[in-house]
Amino acid sequence: MPRPTITEVSALIADLAALRQDHTSADHAALMDRKAELLERIAAHTPADADAAEVARLARERADALKSAG
């Protein structure tokens, strides 16, 4: 799993801001999946950080729920 880059984090933040302006549920589900994947990569590179792992787990649960609902 590659280490997340600042460019990826910045792009996600920009996309989250844009999503607030105008979005569909498919856009939201895809973005939440991307967010979960990024948080999982961050957690993988900080194995001693239990909080990072928990945030990643919760993000994945939310992303998977959105995929199932859509």
Side-chain angles (χ1 to χ4, degrees):
M1 195 175 276
R3 172 175 240 134
T5 66
I6 293 299
T7 302
E8 289 175 300
V9 173
S10 295
L12 178 64
I13 291 168
D15 290 346
L16 286 167
L19 184 71
R20 289 180 184 214
Q21 301 299 317
D22 184 36
H23 73 281
T24 66
S25 51
D27 293 337
H28 187 244
L31 189 56
M32 292 303 104
D33 188 57
R34 196 169 125 212
K35 175 183 168 185
E37 189 268 336
L38 185 61
L39 290 170
E40 288 166 338
R41 288 173 43 209
I42 290 169
H45 284 278
T46 55
D49 189 340
D51 289 335
E54 179 66 4
V55 168
R57 184 188 68 76
L58 293 171
R60 174 51 57 204
E61 283 180 8
R62 174 78 172 135
D64 290 348
L66 287 170
K67 280 195 270 187
S68 298

